[in-house]
Amino acid sequence: MSFHDGLAFAWGALRGHRLRTTLTVVGIAVGIGAVVALTALGEGARRYVVQEFAALGSNLLIVLPGKVETSGAAPFGGVLRDLTLEDFQAVERVTGVKMAAPLASGAETVRFGDLSRSVPVLGTTGEFAPLRRLHVAQGSFLPAREPHVGGFEIVLGFKVAKELFGSESPLGKTVRVGPYRFRVIGVLAPRGRGLGFDFDELALIPVRTAMRIFNRTSLFRILVECHDHRDMDTVRKRVEEVLFRRHRAQDVTVVSQDAVLEAFSSILRTLTWALSGIAAVSLLVAGIGIMNVMLVAVTERRREIGLLKAVGVTQGQVLVVFLMEALILAGLGGVLGLGLGTGSVWVFKGFYPNFPASPPSWAFAAALSVALGVGALFGLWPAARAARVDPVLALAGGGR
Amino acid sequence: MIRLENVTRVYRLGDAEVQALAGVSLTIAEGSFTALMGPSGSGKSTLLHILGLLDRPTDGRYFLQGQDVGDLPDAQRTLLRRHTIGFVFQFFHLLPRLSARGNVELPMLFAGVPSEERKERAMAALAAVGLTHRASHRPDQLSGGERQRVALARAVVMRPKLLLADEPTGNLDRVSAGEIMELITGLNRQGLTVVLVTHDPAIAAYAERVLRMADGQIVGEGKL
Ligand SMILES: Nc1ncnc2c1ncn2[C@@H]1O[C@H](COP(=O)(O)OP(=O)(O)OP(=O)(O)O)[C@@H](O)[C@H]1O
Ligand SMILES: [Mg+2]
């Protein structure tokens, strides 16, 4: 029996039961489709995060108060020294540091006339804009100035400006943050949601002022950009050392953007696997569907099997033919499932065009081989039963 | 062609034992035409299944073309069935989804005969039973007599030495039965050894030798 003849024979048998065949194929297709779609979405989420981080610049170190052990243990010691503006200035001077920006945070209501908008207000310096790749649409950013000086200038996010001022130019206008009055000197260009912040919905003021009005003694973060990506580790150690000398304790954490990115990436990869695992359950169900259909087929076609044996078809050939039927069901399901999966990802992308969801390239080969594997696994036992049918018993009795 | 020595076949049903064959010894010459007769349950089908290597004797020996086939492994018995034995059954056993030609091609398909040759040989076999014009019909579009002729074409398309027929006319009217018997007789004249089970003396009359069975044994022999 040639492969082609066997396939044609198996296909003929399946065509005899169109509805049953279709339903089984759909079962497999749903399983495969779910795996493909969920893998694509998970992988897309990971890529999205990686992209966002990359947009922030790859030479970034982040200094945060408190010792965060990688194992997630509690902060070192009990008392935390504040991360001060002096610390910031010391970090700025570390060799290999291109620039740094301090960050003090609070949320406040920004008012103009009767309109108000509650947004995060960040205190920082002029370096923050180049560091976070922010562009100014109108006016200018916070002036580069000694951080201790303070001042009552404010830069508004794109949406904040739009909602408070409409089409009017906010430049030179006075807005209130809590009880304090600030002069608008700039509006950021639209940027959209980045990780952590929506740069369209915040306001930026000088760091010194922010610490005072929000009553903060410690900075929230210090962002550091290094000259050279290869020096990141050395620079990180130097920054740690400088702060250790100043605080006489290891009470700050310096992480590189890469480390954060890697952590996110691995979390999301795990998520992708988990999603695929859940989807794989539906494949298992579909596999049992194949087994069920094939067992029914073996029972129904006992007479046929008996006849085949009588005309000299070997046990092996009977096994192969029934296995081929299972594999055809699974293969068709796999192909259809791929279409279903990519189709639904496509629809999803119609709604969220920015989301880089696409099935990883290996998904195509994997989906097909998984489908065929499921077919073989769940088709084997019914096929073995077919091969063992006793021809004398099968041929006994009436019928066709 | 065939020699049986004290062949028995015992079915075990729980504690009870059924002696379907209780010691059958028998020789069938090459090219002969033998009919098996006997009451229902006398063991005719059981004997035919053993002759056709679909079943194994519980005891005794079976020589086919001089070869002891009693203890041959399944794979070799299958190959013997494929190449030297043809079957015709009372209930035709055609595959309903295949055309007449497809059914006749079936043994060749699994024997690995190339598709062109398969088609030619199947058409020739159908022509020999007078069904050229029905080649593309499916079994449910054929009469009982036509179905049995397709089954007969399928049985001989591999050019076997031995044809085993279990009540091939049991489901046919008198005219169709006559046609089938003419065809079988014709094949026998060309050298095919035939063993046929029947209840009908008129059918047995086509054979040159009639064996009578009762209670799993051969109890008589001879032309009617
Ligand atoms: N699978 C089986 N299990 C148990 N007993 C069986 C089995 N097959 C046949 N028998 C018994 O063996 C005996 C012979 O059966 P067999 O089918 O050979 O009779 P037969 O002569 O062909 O009868 P009929 O003319 O009705 O076809 C019967 O008593 C039958 O009940
Ligand atoms: Mg019988």
Side-chain angles (χ1 to χ4, degrees):
Chain A
M1 173 183 61
S2 76
F3 178 76
H4 174 258
D5 289 339
L7 211 57
F9 185 82
W11 177 240
L14 287 173
R15 275 189 14 173
H17 296 281
R18 272 162 222 260
L19 184 62
R20 191 204 283 170
T21 300
T22 310
L23 289 176
T24 314
V25 165
V26 166
I28 285 283
V30 166
I32 292 288
V35 171
V36 169
L38 290 178
T39 316
L41 294 187
E43 179 64 14
R46 196 183 68 78
R47 260 189 256 169
Y48 179 69
V49 167
V50 171
Q51 268 178 22
E52 283 295 328
F53 270 102
L56 295 179
S58 60
N59 294 0
L60 212 63
L61 290 175
I62 303 161
V63 182
L64 39 152
K67 186 75 197 165
V68 183
E69 299 291 342
T70 36
S71 61
F76 178 83
V79 191
L80 285 180
R81 299 256 329 234
D82 291 335
L83 201 54
T84 62
L85 282 176
E86 287 74 22
D87 290 337
F88 159 67
Q89 287 175 311
V91 168
E92 227 179 354
R93 285 192 298 271
V94 168
T95 330
V97 170
K98 186 172 165 195
M99 60 177 134
L103 220 53
S105 75
E108 252 305 352
T109 307
V110 179
R111 291 174 207 282
F112 174 72
D114 297 337
L115 297 171
S116 69
R117 188 94 176 94
S118 186
V119 292
V121 176
L122 290 181
T124 185
T125 60
E127 280 80 12
F128 188 70
L131 230 158
R132 288 262 111 156
R133 316 284 190 259
L134 294 177
H135 297 283
V136 181
Q138 302 173 48
S140 57
F141 198 69
L142 296 174
R145 179 196 283 167
E146 217 278 326
H148 285 286
V149 173
F152 288 87
E153 297 94 353
I154 191 165
V155 174
L156 298 178
F158 169 75
K159 269 193 201 155
V160 184
K162 192 154 185 198
E163 279 170 34
L164 293 182
F165 294 94
S167 54
E168 236 182 294
S169 166
L171 292 182
K173 300 268 162 49
T174 302
V175 295
R176 274 178 298 131
V177 175
Y180 305 95
R181 300 161 72 83
F182 285 80
R183 189 168 54 89
V184 179
I185 58 164
V187 176
L188 295 176
R191 163 71 176 268
R193 175 166 286 281
L195 284 165
F197 290 115
D198 184 344
F199 286 107
D200 293 345
E201 289 200 67
L202 51 64
L204 297 160
I205 59 176
V207 62
R208 179 78 214 145
T209 316
M211 290 178 82
R212 195 148 7 105
I213 70 175
F214 295 132
N215 216 358
R216 300 279 147 89
T217 53
S218 175
L219 292 172
F220 168 64
R221 296 279 188 274
I222 300 172
L223 304 181
V224 181
E225 185 169 335
C226 307
H227 275 293
D228 193 335
H229 188 76
R230 283 165 299 182
D231 291 343
M232 295 274 287
D233 242 22
T234 340
V235 176
R236 187 171 59 81
K237 289 213 184 80
R238 278 191 212 126
V239 170
E240 271 171 351
E241 213 177 281
V242 164
L243 292 173
F244 178 74
R245 261 190 274 119
R246 294 181 55 82
H247 292 188
R248 288 174 228 299
Q250 259 185 340
D251 60 355
V252 298
T253 305
V254 184
V255 292
S256 69
Q257 173 110 351
D258 287 359
V260 178
L261 173 58
E262 193 37 57
F264 264 106
S265 184
S266 90
I267 289 169
L268 287 169
R269 198 171 292 133
T270 312
L271 185 77
T272 303
W273 282 111
L275 286 176
S276 319
I278 293 164
V281 172
S282 60
L283 260 186
L284 185 77
V285 173
I288 292 170
I290 287 193
M291 181 142 85
N292 182 42
V293 162
M294 291 313 298
L295 283 174
V296 170
V298 172
T299 311
E300 273 184 359
R301 282 154 60 194
R302 276 169 56 82
R303 223 194 308 274
E304 170 183 333
I305 299 164
L307 184 272
L308 289 178
K309 292 196 161 183
V311 301
V313 176
T314 65
Q315 285 202 11
Q317 286 176 323
V318 172
L319 185 112
V320 165
V321 163
F322 275 81
L323 202 54
M324 273 180 170
E325 284 184 32
L327 288 176
I328 291 173
L329 288 174
L332 284 179
V335 171
L336 194 68
L338 262 179
L340 213 63
T342 30
S344 46
V345 170
W346 195 66
V347 168
F348 181 86
K349 281 179 88 166
F351 288 108
Y352 303 95
N354 289 329
F355 193 77
S358 61
S361 51
W362 50 263
F364 293 92
L368 269 187
S369 36
V370 165
L372 292 178
V374 165
L377 190 70
F378 290 93
L380 196 59
W381 185 52
R385 273 176 67 122
R388 282 199 307 268
V389 163
D390 177 351
V392 172
L393 292 179
L395 289 169
R400 304 184 274 255
Chain B
M1 180 85 201
I2 287 172
R3 197 167 89 243
L4 294 185
E5 289 177 2
N6 208 20
V7 163
T8 63
R9 178 68 169 96
V10 181
Y11 286 108
R12 245 172 271 281
L13 298 171
D15 292 341
E17 284 192 352
V18 181
Q19 277 252 330
L21 291 182
V24 173
S25 296
L26 162 71
T27 321
I28 292 175
E30 179 130 22
S32 63
F33 188 162
T34 309
L36 283 175
M37 293 191 75
S40 188
S42 57
K44 307 181 296 291
S45 293
T46 306
L47 179 56
L48 212 64
H49 290 144
I50 286 178
L51 291 179
L53 301 175
L54 289 173
D55 196 4
R56 287 177 191 269
T58 308
D59 219 338
R61 308 185 76 183
Y62 174 15
F63 295 89
L64 179 62
Q65 296 184 302
Q67 185 186 13
D68 188 345
V69 293
D71 329 302
L72 276 184
D74 277 337
Q76 289 186 41
R77 289 160 61 90
T78 303
L79 288 184
L80 277 173
R81 280 205 297 276
R82 177 183 290 178
H83 293 290
T84 43
I85 303 172
F87 289 92
V88 178
F89 305 93
Q90 179 179 357
F91 296 106
F92 323 135
H93 292 312
L94 300 176
L95 301 202
R97 63 174 180 274
L98 298 181
S99 67
R101 197 188 96 206
N103 271 286
V104 177
E105 281 190 28
L106 206 56
M108 296 187 283
L109 179 90
F110 286 92
V113 175
S115 111
E116 272 308 302
E117 185 187 341
R118 251 176 11 227
K119 185 177 169 186
E120 268 168 40
R121 279 168 65 176
M123 289 311 291
L126 282 171
V129 297
L131 285 180
T132 306
H133 59 298
R134 293 277 184 266
S136 56
H137 289 218
R138 282 191 287 113
D140 56 9
Q141 300 163 327
L142 299 174
S143 73
E146 288 170 332
R147 288 182 210 183
Q148 195 61 301
R149 273 143 70 189
V150 173
L152 186 60
R154 178 181 64 194
V156 298
V157 78
M158 291 293 288
R159 301 176 190 125
K161 294 274 179 297
L162 175 63
L163 179 68
L164 301 173
D166 196 347
E167 303 191 39
T169 58
N171 267 5
L172 302 182
D173 61 69
R174 195 150 278 286
V175 177
S176 304
E179 285 168 2
I180 288 290
M181 288 317 295
E182 287 303 332
L183 288 169
I184 291 178
T185 311
L187 289 164
N188 173 245
R189 283 207 198 94
Q190 291 163 33
L192 182 67
T193 311
V194 178
V195 179
L196 175 143
V197 170
T198 183
H199 282 111
D200 185 347
I203 298 298
Y206 284 89
E208 58 201 24
R209 180 188 184 199
V210 178
L211 297 174
R212 302 189 162 275
M213 291 189 70
D215 299 328
Q217 284 177 311
I218 294 177
V219 291
E221 167 165 4
K223 197 91 176 119
L224 297 190

